[in-house]
Amino acid sequence: MTSTMEPEVGKARLRKEDARLITGRTRWTDNLTLPGLLHMAILRSPMAHARITGIDTSAAKDLPGVLAVLTGADLADEQGSLPCAWPITEDMKSPNAPSIAVDTVNFAGEVVAVVVARSAYEAADALERIDVDYDDLPVVLDMEAAVAEGADLVHADLGTNRSATWVFDSGEAGTGSDVEKAISESEVVIERTYRQQRLIPAFMEPRSVMCDPTGEQLTLWSATQVPHILRFLIAAQLGVPEHKVRVIAPDVGGGFGGKLQVTPEEFLTLLVARRLGKPVKYTETRSESLQSGHHGRDQIQKLTLSARRDGTVTGLKVELLADMGAYLRLVTPGIPILGAFMFNAIYKFPAYRFVCTNVFTNKTPTDAYRGAGRPEATYAIERLMDELAAELGMDPMEVREKNWIKHEEFPFTTVAGLTYDSGNYEAATAKAMELFGYDALRTEQRERRERGDTVQLGIGISTFTEMCGLAPSRVLGSLSYGAGGWEHAAIRMLPTGKVEVVTGSSAHGQGHETAWSQIVADQLGVPFEDIEVIHGDTQSSHKGMDTYGSRSLTVGAMAVIKATDKVKEKAAKVAAHMLEAGEDDVEFSAGSFRVRGAGADAKSVSIQDVALAVFAAHDLPDGVEPNLDSEATFDPENFSFPHGTHLCATEVDTETGQVRIRSYVCVDDIGKVVNPLIVEGQVHGGLVQGIAQALFEEAVHDESGTLTTGTLADYLVPSAADLPSFVTDRTETPSTTNVLGVKGVGEAGTIASTPAVVNAIVDAVRHLGVNDIQMPCTPMRVWQAIQTGQTDAGGLGSEAGGGLGSIDTSGGAQ
Amino acid sequence: MRITVTVDGTKFTDDVEPRQLLVHYLRERLGKVGTVVGCDTSNCGACTVHLDGHSVKSCSVLAVQADGSEVTTIEGLARDGKLHPVQQAFHDNHALQCGFCTPGMIMQSIDLLADDPDPDEQAVREGLEGNLCRCTGYQNIVRAVRDAAARMQGGAGPEAEQVADVRATTGGAQ
């Protein structure tokens, strides 16, 4: 039976996960309850920077159903500091980061008091009865002003708003030559300043956390991407012995980096539950989520690219200011540094220098958001390649082709010091150009320009690559990251022949249960349906580094495969005994052991037979343990480098500034594919998040530091009506760094699409004197650029994305 | 206030605070946690249910307003062990990833198909405008809704969910 099994890897399997999700049987954290469960609500500071001079909680405490009202003073002795695991330099300035403010608030949304009550409604009522007095402190919002001489300070005790400056220089590193020399000797220099606006991950499931302190272990359920990291850091930061903490990430409704965090709310729920000795749950509102969950991006990029007149690039200099917000969260300082290795992208720059200064402001802390550092880099370089083409009067694809690494040049060590193992930019580009109808669109563009059409056509290119599969532990070590990048897995062979796969890579929508089942089905020759994937509970899946950075397949699944190898090794000994053959004489294929060369009809024992025999343990070879279960930990040797060619055609209405995406084609090369259905879904969703950065989304703070995009009416997560359908395709150049040849797909679409869209918009109106439009390219900004011919229309954002502004502040719609 | 509401075919009588939202009544009093809360400004649509056969965002309806009405949630769609055709189409077309928006998205899609049994792509996109998804980019959701439309052949709108009508007219499409 098993000998005729088709390979599972590569099959468009429908997802196992769906059954519970489409019927409402999902276990979101907020769905869970416990006997005697209490509800916590949080009072947040409306001030971006202020001293707390008094908090009156008496009226709140008087309300029926209220068990406790706690302030920073009540919790100061036990709250420790929230962790920052990535001290990027030895002299990095890092403020103490309390979960609840004690005497000063540093961003609007910071916790100042908590209420615990019988019901969520009663807790919300009590919040309104808390009276807090604040004394204003100067608010620091603008990054350039923050690093200027004599600037007001976010953290006075640090003496500066500069957290750290991180430098990579190819001349010093020996990976290339000196960039200043390259620039001074070049024939063409392109200088631009681009701005990565502040974004919000905006996962659909608001964060929720529930803590049960009544058992032997303190149990914390949390809507988190990182249950294992959370457990470790609860132990490290709050002093709870690690073996007395259990963390469970039940069904988690999206993350996109936004749930790659150890949050104030998690620590506070734990502290409060422990103090009261009763289970406590906290679920944020959407407004709280947008205001206080970490934000993403937010960089000012000063860029200098040098080239020869024939289009050959000679140097790239990148100077960044990166907004940390008010505190350094889990990996905040390292996010822009992840981009350091990607600005040179697929191009053969001989000289490169990257300098990033991390800056404190009185805004919500930033941290990982889908792509994390790499979208910023990709945006910058892909915009610059278009600018270079325009400067030289060349076709933008021709400029790229002139500079990219040819397929026969792999493996290729870049000027940033990474070794790209494989790739074929020519193949992906050829396929994308054909699907897109590049030449016909260029012809139409020319015609529209000639006849002065009010709707102009633009074509945008993004030939991106990324580094993913975070990460080789030694590389993380060299970047001062606080942990390794390995992943763990275990296989449990059950007596009836069913299989449990334990993975440290905890999914939140990606489809690991399906993909891991496909992989294990092939490795062990057992049916897809007979495999159960277990994750997200530190008691059953005790070891892991969790899910982010497109690492699950390239790292997590490799651990799974290693574990299956060990199972087969153990099983081979028993099978040989059962077949009365020597261990070296049996071979395993399609789920069964046979004597080598004995033919298909010869006696065989299936791996399920072996599992049962081991369970009985009546007749095992001497010295063989009655157990096939195995575990393995995998640490990758290198990153993987997905790439692709994305092409976008936009129609820009020059009278209204409205942008319409007419067609979008992408050909991604993510190596071998485990499940094409899941891959396509990841690409679609990734594209939309990148397009949303280009067209819709921006977290805007007014001049007092209040977030004016604090609802989904103002923070414009696009709906179905705002988007086109996409044409997606693939080329397949296997990665050489793992046995499956896979590369990872979670972030590709997001990294690639933003510059493709903005390049298309600028291309549509470049002949009107425009060479940049700040993101998001709202109708107002596009119109303004066309009217004034400004080169950087829109300025720094001061209005909510659509200019709608349902929150009425002075910085609202204009 | 005392209300009587039929939810997914079962009648409930409860005293509720006048201010209690229908979604909180469903989740906290009845344990119908299949319906979720995704925002507090009625933008996301994750809480969409059917009230007397038409989709509503249950965060924008008070429990007392549902007095005497029939409510269908995602948990009441499958009948006799069979999925509703829209549920099946979401599965078959990989129209969900994390699944948090899915209950609301499915309930809204059913309502959309009741109004327009054969929507084109643009009609589906506009019909789902009030429901946000952060994972899928909507392409497969649109595909699923049109696939469901074909399966349902115009036969299964909200009236198919009226619990008073036990003939459950969705059968033919499965």
Side-chain angles (χ1 to χ4, degrees):
Chain A
M1 180 195 76
T2 49
S3 61
T4 57
M5 274 170 45
E6 286 175 53
E8 280 289 341
V9 168
K11 221 188 246 185
R13 273 276 184 191
L14 295 178
R15 296 199 319 168
K16 288 183 165 186
E17 291 85 344
D18 291 357
R20 62 182 190 274
L21 298 168
I22 57 175
T23 52
R25 291 188 287 109
T26 321
R27 288 186 176 79
W28 312 115
T29 302
D30 189 49
N31 288 0
L32 307 176
T33 188
L34 288 166
L37 180 68
L38 301 174
H39 296 265
M40 186 171 89
I42 289 179
L43 184 71
R44 298 178 184 277
S45 170
M47 316 290 286
H49 200 195
R51 199 163 286 120
I52 299 169
T53 55
I55 306 183
D56 183 357
T57 60
S58 54
K61 282 176 174 161
D62 278 350
L63 283 181
V66 174
L67 281 89
V69 182
L70 300 171
T71 67
D74 299 317
L75 294 162
D77 293 342
E78 52 185 307
Q79 71 170 327
S81 177
L82 289 161
C84 174
W86 202 338
I88 55 165
T89 61
E90 281 184 9
D91 61 351
M92 182 180 83
K93 300 257 189 313
S94 182
N96 183 57
S99 293
I100 181 168
V102 178
D103 45 25
T104 310
V105 291
N106 290 303
F107 71 96
E110 193 164 357
V111 182
V112 291
V114 300
V115 172
V116 186
R118 179 183 53 178
S119 72
Y121 276 43
E122 286 166 318
D125 287 343
L127 284 189
E128 304 205 342
R129 302 280 194 101
I130 301 172
D131 204 10
V132 186
D133 290 324
Y134 298 98
D135 265 359
D136 282 354
L137 291 168
V139 176
V140 180
L141 298 173
D142 179 76
M143 274 196 279
E144 284 167 325
V147 296
E149 198 67 32
D152 293 323
L153 297 177
V154 177
H155 299 285
D157 54 328
L158 298 182
T160 174
N161 291 321
R162 293 169 191 258
S163 174
T165 297
W166 194 93
V167 181
F168 176 86
D169 187 293
S170 65
E172 291 164 18
T175 54
S177 50
D178 177 47
V179 80
E180 297 297 348
K181 189 160 174 285
I183 290 168
S184 65
E185 292 172 358
S186 68
E187 295 166 5
V188 185
V189 177
I190 306 283
E191 287 179 291
R192 293 287 186 274
T193 299
Y194 293 137
R195 177 172 159 275
Q196 294 287 323
Q197 79 269 37
R198 185 172 269 254
L199 298 175
I200 305 181
F203 36 76
M204 288 313 297
E205 181 210 14
R207 295 170 307 164
S208 180
V209 53
M210 179 168 76
C211 180
D212 183 1
T214 63
E216 274 307 306
Q217 283 181 315
L218 234 152
T219 305
L220 198 79
W221 289 260
S222 184
T224 180
Q225 291 176 227
V226 290
H228 299 92
I229 291 173
L230 177 57
R231 181 199 198 195
F232 169 74
L233 286 168
I234 285 171
Q237 303 298 110
L238 296 178
V240 185
E242 193 175 356
H243 63 299
K244 293 293 182 187
V245 186
R246 174 185 181 189
V247 175
I248 302 170
D251 283 320
V252 176
F256 316 112
K259 290 173 181 168
L260 166 48
Q261 193 54 269
V262 173
T263 68
E265 294 81 5
E266 286 164 337
F267 275 18
L268 288 170
T269 305
L270 185 153
L271 292 174
V272 167
R274 189 171 68 176
R275 177 171 292 208
L276 298 177
K278 294 198 165 58
V280 173
K281 182 162 78 179
Y282 165 77
T283 301
E284 68 184 359
T285 64
R286 175 59 61 183
S287 305
E288 286 182 284
S289 187
L290 294 173
Q291 188 187 33
S292 63
H294 74 243
H295 293 175
R297 311 281 195 276
D298 207 341
Q299 291 182 358
I300 297 171
Q301 310 175 311
K302 193 161 171 278
L303 307 156
T304 311
L305 180 148
S306 61
R308 291 203 293 267
R309 277 266 150 223
D310 68 355
T312 307
V313 296
T314 59
L316 179 65
K317 188 167 75 166
V318 175
E319 295 160 283
L320 300 185
L321 292 178
D323 193 343
M324 305 287 99
Y327 296 104
L328 303 180
R329 294 296 195 228
L330 189 60
V331 291
T332 302
I335 299 301
I337 310 310
L338 280 173
F341 306 95
M342 284 284 111
F343 277 88
N344 52 296
I346 65 172
Y347 309 111
K348 293 182 279 188
F349 280 95
Y352 172 54
R353 180 176 169 84
F354 171 96
V355 182
C356 177
T357 300
N358 287 349
V359 183
F360 291 115
T361 61
N362 291 113
K363 294 184 191 171
T364 307
T366 58
D367 206 316
Y369 172 51
R370 201 172 192 169
R374 292 151 291 164
E376 296 92 314
T378 304
Y379 180 84
I381 188 64
E382 289 304 303
R383 287 284 295 112
L384 285 180
M385 293 308 276
D386 261 34
E387 294 303 305
L388 177 62
E391 173 72 23
L392 298 173
M394 290 172 74
D395 181 277
M397 192 60 94
E398 193 190 337
V399 171
R400 286 171 169 83
E401 196 167 1
K402 193 168 190 67
N403 289 290
W404 73 41
I405 303 157
K406 306 287 181 288
H407 70 273
E408 66 272 13
E409 293 176 308
F410 290 95
F412 185 91
T413 299
T414 73
V415 74
L418 292 178
T419 301
Y420 296 176
D421 63 317
S422 70
N424 190 331
Y425 309 137
E426 298 93 325
T429 298
K431 199 168 191 176
M433 299 272 270
E434 190 191 329
L435 288 168
F436 188 65
Y438 187 87
D439 295 334
L441 283 165
R442 281 280 179 225
T443 305
E444 182 184 334
Q445 178 184 44
R446 200 161 44 243
E447 287 165 2
R448 286 195 191 216
R449 279 195 187 176
E450 281 162 6
R451 70 170 183 263
D453 198 328
T454 56
V455 177
Q456 288 291 317
L457 184 67
I459 295 167
I461 301 172
S462 172
T463 48
F464 85 107
T465 189
E466 58 160 323
M467 53 191 255
C468 67
L470 302 179
S473 295
R474 62 182 169 78
V475 175
L476 292 176
S478 72
L479 294 173
S480 311
Y481 183 68
W486 46 264
E487 192 48 87
H488 174 265
I491 303 287
R492 301 177 187 155
M493 295 300 297
L494 305 182
T496 56
K498 311 296 185 193
V499 181
E500 288 176 341
V501 179
V502 180
T503 175
S505 178
S506 185
H508 38 281
Q510 294 89 343
H512 291 24
E513 291 165 42
T514 301
W516 276 211
S517 296
Q518 290 179 267
I519 290 167
V520 171
D522 280 358
Q523 295 294 319
L524 295 180
V526 297
F528 173 81
E529 296 77 13
D530 286 359
I531 298 162
E532 191 71 22
V533 177
I534 294 167
H535 64 85
D537 180 343
T538 60
Q539 205 165 68
S540 56
S541 141
H542 70 287
K543 206 172 150 87
M545 273 295 169
D546 305 315
T547 295
Y548 43 84
S550 305
R551 70 189 303 271
S552 293
L553 191 58
T554 52
V555 188
M558 295 312 128
V560 171
I561 291 173
K562 264 181 88 174
T564 62
D565 288 342
K566 292 184 182 176
V567 168
K568 287 184 278 189
E569 255 173 59
K570 287 186 182 183
K573 286 190 175 46
V574 181
H577 183 70
M578 292 167 78
L579 291 167
E580 299 176 343
E583 194 190 330
D584 295 341
D585 297 330
V586 298
E587 61 182 3
F588 182 75
S589 112
S592 290
F593 293 92
R594 283 184 186 75
V595 174
R596 202 182 307 275
D601 296 333
K603 189 185 169 195
S604 68
V605 290
S606 70
I607 197 148
Q608 291 95 333
D609 297 335
V610 177
L612 185 62
V614 166
F615 171 70
H618 295 161
D619 181 20
L620 298 179
D622 291 342
V624 168
E625 195 183 338
N627 181 14
L628 295 180
D629 298 355
S630 300
E631 58 178 313
T633 305
F634 178 79
D635 199 340
E637 283 177 10
N638 193 359
F639 297 96
S640 59
F641 302 96
H643 69 82
T645 297
H646 288 226
L647 299 171
C648 177
T650 59
E651 290 180 351
V652 177
D653 186 325
T654 55
E655 293 179 327
T656 65
Q658 183 72 38
V659 173
R660 186 178 85 88
I661 295 180
R662 184 163 111 182
S663 65
Y664 194 105
V665 170
C666 63
V667 176
D668 286 302
D669 193 322
I670 56 159
K672 288 283 180 190
V673 163
V674 174
N675 184 323
L677 204 61
I678 289 176
V679 162
E680 193 192 20
Q682 286 287 325
V683 172
H684 289 165
L687 289 176
V688 165
Q689 287 187 13
I691 289 169
Q693 175 173 11
L695 293 179
F696 305 116
E697 294 179 18
E698 178 170 26
V700 179
H701 292 81
D702 70 10
E703 69 280 2
S704 62
T706 301
L707 182 73
T708 62
T709 51
T711 74
L712 290 175
D714 309 285
Y715 189 80
L716 300 182
V717 171
S719 79
D722 301 316
L723 296 161
S725 280
F726 309 106
V727 176
T728 62
D729 209 330
R730 289 186 284 106
T731 53
E732 204 169 287
T733 313
S735 164
T736 62
T737 60
N738 62 68
V739 294
L740 285 183
V742 297
K743 299 181 187 172
V745 69
E747 297 161 294
T750 304
I751 291 170
S753 62
T754 312
V757 174
V758 177
N759 277 340
I761 296 168
V762 173
D763 186 55
V765 295
R766 191 182 289 279
H767 63 294
L768 303 173
V770 177
N771 74 5
D772 191 29
I773 301 172
Q774 299 239 358
M775 296 188 291
C777 300
T778 59
M780 186 173 71
R781 288 183 184 166
V782 174
W783 183 85
Q784 201 175 30
I786 294 166
Q787 296 306 308
T788 64
Q790 278 181 10
T791 56
D792 58 349
L796 297 182
S798 60
E799 73 290 325
L804 296 172
S806 77
I807 293 175
D808 186 20
T809 71
S810 54
Q814 288 160 4
Chain B
M1 281 181 74
R2 174 156 296 195
I3 60 169
T4 298
V5 190
T6 301
V7 180
D8 296 335
T10 304
K11 189 191 276 188
F12 298 93
T13 297
D14 281 300
D15 287 317
V16 298
E17 279 190 79
R19 65 173 175 168
Q20 186 168 43
L21 301 176
L22 177 59
V23 67
H24 291 145
Y25 173 71
L26 293 172
R27 288 177 58 80
E28 284 154 30
R29 190 68 72 88
L30 304 186
K32 291 275 179 187
V33 293
T35 302
V36 296
V37 182
C39 74
D40 40 21
T41 49
S42 73
N43 288 100
C44 81
C47 65
T48 304
V49 299
H50 291 180
L51 183 65
D52 293 329
H54 294 285
S55 68
V56 294
K57 292 179 175 177
S58 61
C59 71
S60 305
V61 177
L62 296 167
V64 294
Q65 290 176 288
D67 186 27
S69 294
E70 286 178 359
V71 174
T72 305
T73 78
I74 188 74
E75 296 175 54
L77 283 185
R79 296 282 166 82
D80 304 326
K82 283 188 173 170
L83 295 174
H84 187 285
V86 175
Q87 289 174 306
Q88 188 66 48
F90 268 61
H91 175 58
D92 292 348
N93 290 281
H94 186 36
L96 60 147
Q97 290 178 30
C98 85
F100 194 79
C101 75
T102 306
M105 204 62 89
I106 288 175
M107 299 311 286
Q108 180 59 25
S109 299
I110 294 171
D111 191 61
L112 161 72
L113 291 175
D115 287 345
D116 181 354
D118 186 22
D120 63 14
E121 178 180 336
Q122 196 54 31
V124 175
R125 288 184 178 276
E126 283 167 14
L128 297 178
E129 196 173 17
N131 290 68
L132 297 178
C133 170
R134 192 61 156 167
C135 295
T136 65
Y138 303 102
Q139 189 153 330
N140 288 348
I141 292 177
V142 173
R143 202 161 71 181
V145 174
R146 300 192 70 204
D147 181 25
R151 294 179 200 215
M152 287 161 68
Q153 297 161 343
E159 64 275 12
E161 298 154 34
Q162 294 293 309
V163 288
D165 179 3
V166 291
R167 283 171 295 165
T169 52
T170 57
Q174 293 163 354

